Amino acid sequence: MELRKITGNVYWAMTKSKLLLTKNLVAGESVYGEKLLRISGQEYREWIPIRSKLSAAFYKGLKTVAIPEGSKVLYLGASSGTTVSHVSDMVGATGEVYAVEISEEMGANLILLAEKRKNLFPIIEDARKTETYSKFVPKCDFLYQDVAQRDQVDIFIKNSNVFLKNGAYGALAIKTKSIDVSKPSRFIIEQTVNSLKRNFIVQESIDLFPYQRDHALIIVRKK
Ligand SMILES: C[S@@+](CC[C@H](N)C(=O)[O-])C[C@H]1O[C@@H](n2cnc3c(N)ncnc32)[C@H](O)[C@@H]1O
């Protein structure tokens, strides 16, 4: 099977239809029921677009994702670690993923995941309260956020001010219905892009339909 590298341990497998894969950091371990594939002696994990917005963005033609191996990533809204596990694959053994999750229930799975993934550091806190984790988190190369909250833009800006290196990239997943259920998704995406422009250069904005309905991923670069 032919593989095409996209960025830090992420590949397209050129089967009948394209399949997104990450090189598995922890051989033999599937995290959420995804398939494991062995190609030329290396194990890869299928990255399923209906389970992960970042995967959906790749399937929708994402161009600017700067998460090479060795990157330090701050991930807000980690849940039980589905997408986090692929970001952990992306940065590899020399990278670090600081994963913030408010729910103790979700966080329990994240802590279990981190026992196997040594580059993953779970933080069970509210991402609005940066002061509760600023002691553990260094300046990062990438900020990823998926919290599905009304104040998601404020949370993103606050964290980028504290933790994101100048000129570094970030990605904000927005659930348009969390912001205003009465307005069309297109309008909410445009409004969110405009509110990010003071702090960031907006690189691209991707509607994740049909993989994730009423969701978009906005990629920015810190000014
Ligand atoms: C849509 S889910 C995230 C899914 C996950 N990013 C993935 O792709 O695997 C949103 C998560 O954000 C968490 N969350 C919501 N508000 C938060 C906050 N203020 N701080 C940290 N996590 C938060 C929720 O508990 C939930 O687990």
Side-chain angles (χ1 to χ4, degrees):
M1 192 186 297
E2 188 200 338
L3 287 184
R4 281 198 200 145
K5 185 173 169 101
I6 309 173
T7 175
N9 294 326
V10 187
Y11 298 82
W12 286 118
M14 309 310 284
T15 55
K16 257 184 276 167
S17 49
K18 283 199 307 185
L19 197 63
L20 192 67
L21 305 175
T22 56
K23 210 184 254 183
N24 196 357
L25 182 66
V26 187
E29 293 286 333
S30 165
V31 174
Y32 55 99
E34 76 284 10
K35 277 193 218 126
L36 303 181
L37 291 91
R38 196 146 200 97
I39 305 165
S40 308
Q42 171 65 49
E43 190 176 275
Y44 297 84
R45 300 165 56 223
E46 183 186 6
W47 194 356
I48 304 173
I50 56 166
R51 299 292 303 277
S52 166
K53 286 155 211 138
L54 188 50
S55 168
F58 278 112
Y59 277 91
K60 290 291 305 273
L62 174 66
K63 292 184 212 64
T64 42
V65 149
I67 313 183
E69 270 193 277
S71 301
K72 293 184 173 69
V73 176
L74 175 59
Y75 190 117
L76 309 174
S79 194
S80 56
T82 301
T83 301
V84 167
S85 68
H86 288 286
V87 175
S88 153
D89 284 346
M90 285 176 92
V91 304
T94 56
E96 294 166 15
V97 182
Y98 296 87
V100 181
E101 170 54 49
I102 198 169
S103 150
E104 287 190 11
E105 195 185 334
M106 294 301 172
N109 288 329
L110 200 59
I111 289 166
L112 287 177
L113 189 65
E115 283 174 10
K116 295 194 176 134
R117 294 185 165 261
K118 299 300 177 199
N119 65 2
L120 175 59
F121 303 94
I123 298 168
I124 313 306
E125 292 291 353
D126 183 343
R128 296 179 184 94
K129 299 181 182 159
T130 51
E131 65 283 2
T132 60
Y133 51 92
S134 58
K135 279 202 275 310
F136 320 113
V137 179
K139 285 278 181 193
C140 285
D141 305 297
F142 200 91
L143 172 64
Y144 186 90
Q145 180 181 301
D146 179 17
V147 295
Q149 295 286 347
R150 262 187 98 78
D151 59 342
Q152 52 202 344
V153 170
D154 293 340
I155 296 173
F156 189 75
I157 291 173
K158 186 170 185 191
N159 278 271
S160 94
N161 284 341
V162 180
F163 301 108
L164 193 61
K165 292 177 186 169
N166 288 337
Y169 289 85
L172 172 61
I174 60 164
K175 184 177 178 184
T176 54
K177 296 291 176 210
S178 294
I179 299 176
D180 191 338
V181 77
S182 68
K183 302 219 166 77
S185 282
R186 210 169 7 91
F187 178 83
I188 300 292
I189 295 169
E190 205 178 300
Q191 201 179 40
T192 310
V193 164
N194 285 335
S195 57
L196 288 166
K197 280 187 175 161
R198 186 194 287 204
N199 299 66
F200 304 98
I201 300 155
V202 176
Q203 305 285 316
E204 42 181 331
S205 156
I206 302 170
D207 188 330
L208 302 180
F209 184 86
Y211 303 105
Q212 310 262 347
R213 189 179 281 273
D214 299 319
H215 283 87
L217 193 73
I218 302 170
I219 313 295
V220 298
R221 187 167 190 195
K222 189 174 173 182
K223 281 185 180 168

